[in-house]
């Protein structure tokens, strides 16, 4: 097929800033993308525990957004919740990877003088304790960030 | 000759969508759009990629780590897990019960050996475990080069008494160099 405006061509680096993507820009994309992949959270989840009930309020995960994509919350006791993710997830191209949570942070909403304390129970399970400043467990709403 | 990426590494926080291939007037070559959506990339997709790269590069943490303080048998903290944009784990020093310093380098390099200064603008620490404890952080510039390279973490109980041997997750974000 003769070359021209209507001939299909592979994406080639170069050209001007308006119509092209330079090698330098592509290299910057590649370098910064790998940097951010290393440090970005796997997920952010907010949940509420009230009495025997515990439910997700919001969920943002690399694999999906919305509470249906989030972990399963389980009430362990007053103020104590386990968040259990699937053992692994797929990306849009069905490439799978196991869940391996290595860091967790928790912050409690709405209640003054209350802290959220995470414990890494398993590669896919994080336990959160919500405690007052004098160590009394309480129910509440917490936001948890995991890597 | 090795390619030199545009702009600076992500943690310098100075890249805009332009460094990622964006242009407000981006258009397809000769205004020809995709012939086949499965094989072709169009200007609109490049523009979205570039815009979202800028957004992510603005807020991505520089590093997150989980460490265990060693106070009962005094020693440097044990960094159990470390996930950074670049570089090796920082140097950890035990200052006192419940108090540790972490010192990062003044700059790091990306895979293309492009250097970017490190100036820590934010830090967040959370204590793990079963006893109510609070972690506070303090950023500082230990060598007076105008860059914050040090984070000091204090772990105390609610009475203000230092907590020994705490396990903490610490995350840091860089900001533009002042």
């Amino acid at each position: 097929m003769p070359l021209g405006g209507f001939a299909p061509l592979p994406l080639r680096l170069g050209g001007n800033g308006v119509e092209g993507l330079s090698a330098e820009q592509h290299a910057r994309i590649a370098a910064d993308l790998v940097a951010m992949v290393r440090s970005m959270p796997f997920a952010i989840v907010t949940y509420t525990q009230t009495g025997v009930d515990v439910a997700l309020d919001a969920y943002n995960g690399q694999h999906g957004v919305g509470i249906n994509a989030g972990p399963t919350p389980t009430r362990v006791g007053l103020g104590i919740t386990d968040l259990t993710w699937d053992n692994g997830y797929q990306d849009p191209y069905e490439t799978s990877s196991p869940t391996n949570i290595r860091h967790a942070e928790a912050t409690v909403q709405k209640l003054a003088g209350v802290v959220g304390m995470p414990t890494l129970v398993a590669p896919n399970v994080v336990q959160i304790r919500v405690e007052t400043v004098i160590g009394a467990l309480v129910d509440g709403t917490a936001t948890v960030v995991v890597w | 000759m090795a390619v030199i990426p545009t702009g600076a590494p992500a943690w310098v926080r100075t890249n805009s969508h332009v460094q990622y291939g964006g242009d407000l007037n981006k258009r397809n070559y000769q205004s020809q759009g995709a012939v086949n959506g499965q094989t072709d990339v169009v200007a609109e997709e490049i523009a979205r990629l570039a815009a979202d790269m800028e957004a992510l590069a603005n807020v991505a943490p520089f590093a997150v780590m989980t460490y265990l303080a060693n106070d009962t048998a005094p020693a440097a903290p044990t960094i159990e897990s470390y996930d950074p944009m670049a570089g090796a784990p920082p140097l950890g020093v035990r200052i006192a019960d419940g108090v540790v310093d972490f010192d990062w380098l003044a700059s790091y390099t990306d895979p293309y050996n492009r250097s970017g200064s490190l100036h820590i603008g934010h830090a967040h620490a959370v204590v793990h475990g079963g006893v109510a404890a609070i972690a506070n952080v303090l950023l500082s510039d230990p060598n007076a080069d105008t860059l914050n390279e040090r984070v000091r973490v204090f772990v105390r109980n609610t009475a203000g008494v230092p907590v020994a041997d705490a396990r903490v997750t610490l995350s840091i974000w860089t900001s533009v160099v002042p």
Side-chain angles (χ1 to χ4, degrees):
Chain A
M1 178 180 290
L3 296 179
F6 298 99
L9 291 174
L11 175 64
R12 288 187 179 148
L13 300 176
N16 60 46
V18 176
E19 296 176 336
L21 180 68
S22 70
E24 293 79 8
Q25 291 168 329
H26 187 268
R28 177 48 59 208
I29 289 172
D32 285 4
L33 190 57
V34 74
M36 293 189 290
V37 164
R38 287 174 180 153
S39 70
M40 292 290 274
F42 172 69
I44 306 103
V45 55
T46 297
Y47 72 91
T48 296
Q49 180 171 340
T50 306
V52 298
D53 297 323
V54 58
L56 301 189
D57 299 318
Y59 183 75
N60 291 66
Q62 290 198 17
H63 62 95
V65 178
I67 60 175
N68 291 332
T72 301
T74 306
R75 179 184 186 275
V76 176
L78 175 65
I80 305 175
T81 298
D82 277 356
L83 299 173
T84 303
W85 278 262
D86 290 352
N87 289 324
Y89 292 93
Q90 290 184 339
D91 70 8
Y93 301 93
E94 299 184 352
T95 301
S96 299
S97 183
T99 305
N100 185 23
I101 297 170
R102 306 197 296 173
H103 316 276
E105 296 182 346
T107 305
V108 181
Q109 296 186 19
K110 304 177 186 176
L111 302 176
V114 179
V115 297
M117 306 191 68
T119 299
L120 305 180
V121 175
N124 64 322
V125 182
V126 176
Q127 184 173 95
I128 307 296
R129 294 172 61 93
V130 176
E131 302 182 27
T132 68
V133 293
I134 57 173
L137 291 163
V138 293
D139 288 342
T141 298
T143 295
V144 182
V145 184
V146 298
W147 285 259
Chain B
M1 183 171 64
V3 66
I4 299 175
T6 53
W11 59 86
V12 181
R13 315 291 186 185
T14 55
N15 291 335
S16 74
H17 67 107
V18 173
Q19 276 71 49
Y20 299 118
D23 187 296
L24 295 180
N25 297 309
K26 204 78 178 178
R27 62 173 182 262
N28 296 308
Y29 180 66
Q30 294 191 347
S31 298
Q32 176 63 43
V35 174
N36 184 338
Q38 292 183 336
T39 59
D40 303 344
V41 179
V42 295
E44 294 80 4
E45 291 164 347
I46 294 291
R48 172 50 55 209
L49 171 66
D52 286 1
M53 284 292 297
E54 175 186 332
L56 293 173
N58 285 342
V59 297
F62 175 76
V64 58
M65 81 162 97
T66 297
Y67 73 88
L68 180 66
N70 295 307
D71 294 313
T72 300
T78 301
I79 296 177
E80 298 178 325
S81 197
Y82 184 65
D83 291 276
M85 282 190 171
L91 175 67
V93 176
R94 177 184 179 274
I95 303 299
D97 279 358
V99 185
V100 297
D101 275 358
F102 291 101
D103 283 2
W104 280 263
L105 302 177
S107 66
Y108 291 87
T109 55
D110 71 11
Y112 297 89
N113 209 32
R114 305 298 294 172
S115 177
S117 295
L118 184 92
H119 173 63
I120 301 170
H122 319 274
H124 185 243
V126 171
V127 184
H128 288 225
V131 178
I134 299 170
N136 296 97
V137 297
L138 179 66
L139 310 181
S140 66
D141 175 9
N143 55 7
D145 62 354
T146 75
L147 305 175
N148 290 337
E149 298 117 330
R150 173 175 292 168
V151 177
R152 175 166 290 186
V153 183
F154 305 82
V155 179
R156 306 183 186 98
N157 64 20
T158 56
V161 176
V163 173
D165 303 323
R167 175 174 281 110
V168 178
T169 289
L170 170 67
S171 43
I172 65 167
W173 286 257
T174 54
S175 291
V176 290
V177 176

